[in-house]
Amino acid sequence: MAIEFETIRKEGLSVQIANAIRDAILGGRLSGEEKLPSEAELAERFGVSRSTVREALKRLAAQNLIRSERGSSGGAFVNRLTWEEAKADLVTTTRLLIGMNGIPFEDAIEARFALEAAALPLAAKNATDSQLSEMRREIGCQNDPATNDEDFCGSDVRFHSAIAEASGNPLLAFQLSAAFEAMQPLMNMLVYRLRDRERIVRFHRALADALERQDGSLAAAHLEELWAYTRELAAQRREPRPD
């Protein structure tokens, strides 16, 4: 276990120890599934009591960075974070940031479409038949009159997430999918009474057609049209209602 220890001050010892181990995990000096030294070994290495080490490990476990296993081969192990777990955390954090900090609706729209625009050239180049088929399935769902508003919103997220996956870049797809899941439901539910579902379907079909033709520039143009339409809906939403 390679951790660079700085001099530990007397106050907040458990926090400082937890931060040192956390930094080692984030810096790659501790890898996923690696076993940490025992409490006694950590206490000796840090020059603190075992109870202080135990408190530090509890902090790390609360952050889902480590887990404890019992038995003769048990101990504290570094968790290997999955993509789905990381995405769920990012979705939650993004929604909290938007909701608690009063981020304007227009700023959320701008961020969401700017992120997707960055992925379109890669999606046009790398989209597979399976990913294109997934987009077509979601368009079919959205075009079905029996699809209610909530399911339409869910299909909208899945359609754009399929574009993110089609980029072929796992980190970009992760960030985009999390952004869509965090922001798109909010956007949809705020303007769904105003939007023309048939028009949304046409935008989505045009996007899928452009990606199938591997035409990134045309896809970008259609995304810009969808972006402009969403801004139009946002403006209508701000207009005062007639008495």
Side-chain angles (χ1 to χ4, degrees):
M1 170 175 143
I3 305 179
E4 297 176 4
F5 303 112
E6 297 179 354
T7 301
I8 300 296
R9 297 189 301 274
K10 293 301 181 184
E11 70 275 15
L13 295 176
S14 65
V15 174
Q16 294 175 63
I17 293 168
N19 287 342
I21 297 174
R22 179 179 180 272
D23 289 345
I25 294 172
L26 297 179
R29 299 189 298 279
L30 283 171
S31 57
E33 304 304 323
E34 185 171 344
K35 185 178 180 180
L36 298 181
S38 68
E39 288 182 3
E41 291 173 306
L42 287 172
E44 181 179 357
R45 190 172 300 187
F46 280 106
V48 297
S49 67
R50 290 183 62 175
S51 62
T52 300
V53 168
R54 195 173 300 121
E55 180 62 30
L57 296 179
K58 286 180 181 179
R59 289 178 178 274
L60 293 168
Q63 297 172 39
N64 201 32
L65 290 172
I66 66 170
R67 69 183 186 279
S68 295
E69 295 183 1
R70 295 183 178 181
S72 57
S73 60
F77 293 83
V78 178
N79 276 334
R80 186 181 297 280
L81 188 65
T82 67
W83 288 101
E84 285 304 314
E85 290 170 337
K87 186 168 74 172
D89 288 343
L90 184 55
V91 168
T92 299
T93 301
T94 303
R95 286 179 177 170
L96 286 172
L97 284 172
I98 292 174
M100 297 178 71
N101 291 281
I103 294 176
F105 182 57
E106 291 75 12
D107 287 353
I109 292 173
E110 182 178 49
R112 173 250 179 276
F113 281 103
L115 286 169
E116 187 168 10
L120 281 182
L122 289 173
K125 176 183 177 182
N126 298 322
T128 65
D129 290 341
S130 175
Q131 289 161 342
L132 290 167
S133 294
E134 184 177 352
M135 296 176 207
R136 301 291 184 191
R137 282 194 299 272
E138 296 305 335
I139 291 170
C141 174
Q142 296 159 22
N143 201 39
D144 185 347
T147 300
N148 60 33
D149 284 316
E150 184 177 354
D151 290 340
F152 188 96
C153 290
S155 179
D156 196 338
V157 171
R158 292 191 298 273
F159 173 82
H160 290 284
S161 292
I163 292 178
E165 291 293 333
S167 72
N169 184 306
L171 188 56
L172 181 59
F174 158 73
Q175 293 173 322
L176 285 171
S177 294
F180 295 152
E181 290 190 26
M183 290 185 280
Q184 195 69 20
L186 169 67
M187 292 166 53
N188 281 336
M189 296 312 295
L190 285 174
V191 300
Y192 80 92
R193 293 184 184 278
L194 300 172
R195 71 184 171 197
D196 182 341
R197 283 173 41 157
E198 292 183 2
R199 191 171 178 184
I200 296 293
V201 169
R202 288 197 297 271
F203 285 135
H204 287 175
R205 185 175 289 117
L207 262 171
D209 288 345
L211 293 176
E212 188 169 25
R213 292 167 54 183
Q214 296 186 313
D215 192 332
S217 296
L218 183 58
H222 290 310
L223 183 67
E224 174 60 37
E225 292 172 350
L226 177 56
W227 187 352
Y229 180 56
T230 307
R231 292 197 299 268
E232 177 186 324
L233 294 178
Q236 291 179 34
R237 174 177 163 271
R238 290 196 306 271
E239 293 176 358
R241 295 181 179 180
D243 295 333

